[in-house]
Amino acid sequence: MKRQYIDMKNGSIRDPRFRNNNNEKLRKNLSLIDIEEFDGNFPEFTRPKNVGSFSLDIHRNYVNDYSELRYLSMPPEASTSGSCKVNFDLKRGVSRVVEKDEESIRQKMLDDLLRWILQERKAEHKNIIDHQHPLRPLLVEFVCYRGLLTLLIATPYECQENWTILATRFQNSIYLWQLKESKKQNGSIAVQKEKSIWGFKFEQYLCASSPNGNPNPNEQVNTNAEFCCVLKTRIGGLPLLYGAEVDAVTKESQPPFLDLQNFVELKTNKHIGNEMQQAAFNRFKSMKWWAQSFIVGIPKIVVGYRDDDGVVSRLETMDVNQLRKQSTDCWKSNICMNFCLKFLKFVKECIPKDSTSNDHFLFEFDAMSRVISFRNELGETRSRNLLPSWYVESMQKSA
């Protein structure tokens, strides 16, 4: 039985393997008090390569196909400029919406991405599998979802929201997952939820299920269905593998896709009517839009401008790189990416190389103190391991 001890300072249980004479190693911090220290050259970042994909159906079941891939179908008037006037009612039929079970997603963690990995390991995918090793481990140092990378990229400018990331090391790789608590329903959350549903409805107006098909906004909105790409890139020499839900691809494109250059993100935004509203957009929203698209190599965002009643009256196609250029007074992309690289190196440094998939570690960002703290965690906040036994056992067998 594994021996444990009680850390009297905070009452947590920790594994004696991670005790040493220098207890500071258990309490390492990463400070963001002065973000100018990250204002160096933009780090090495290779163009994200699409190494695979999978679908999640309306019941959120994993499907190894392109069934949930959607094709962008813009109005004819937008063919030249990418912009035009429309009349999309985002409240249409939303009373019948089928929503995701957020608690189920929290419990599932990385499972869908792990299923894809096992499938590709069996197929001996040369871009992600080490063929020189008898166990065929992964050729990447980090595995996560795009949302976590977007979170990290935006952190230097985050002043309100705390976050907690769970990490575990297995074989050659570190797996990362953001822990989110269930939020009690209140007026603010209800409004956010409604606007999130509006985003799914907006996609219905612009997406078709086949290259020759047409959008059908009369369909029931089901937020469970997703098409996910799996990408590989390097940031500062560190290889990453990450999954990303994507909205749509242009009708001229057909799978398989080597990258996401022909994909687009679909967003809604309240009409911007004055300089103050434009400044607020540049300060808060543009950075997250840029990060989400940049990290997967998507070059364009189609924006639907709406009123308070959820009616979109104008479409605009934005260049992702232009978002960065117009917001340099508010945020800097090099600071964002240099911090992301610094955090990944910090994680790699903190997690002992002899740890296993049963050992878990927490990285916690406190927005008020501007500090990320690290500690070992042995299950006090978890109902299961980040990596399920079926994944670990399969990866420990010869492919």
Side-chain angles (χ1 to χ4, degrees), residues 40-45 290 294 324 333-335 337-338:
N41 293 331
F42 200 93
E44 172 204 354
F45 182 73
W290 171 82
F294 174 79
R324 176 184 59 82
S333 59
N334 62 317
I335 287 179
M337 292 298 289
N338 279 322

Side-chain angles (χ1 to χ4, degrees), residues 34-44 157 332-339:
D34 179 15
I35 65 171
E36 294 303 315
E37 68 176 281
F38 303 108
D39 193 12
N41 293 331
F42 200 93
E44 172 204 354
Y157 297 94
K332 294 181 180 180
S333 59
N334 62 317
I335 287 179
C336 294
M337 292 298 289
N338 279 322
F339 166 74

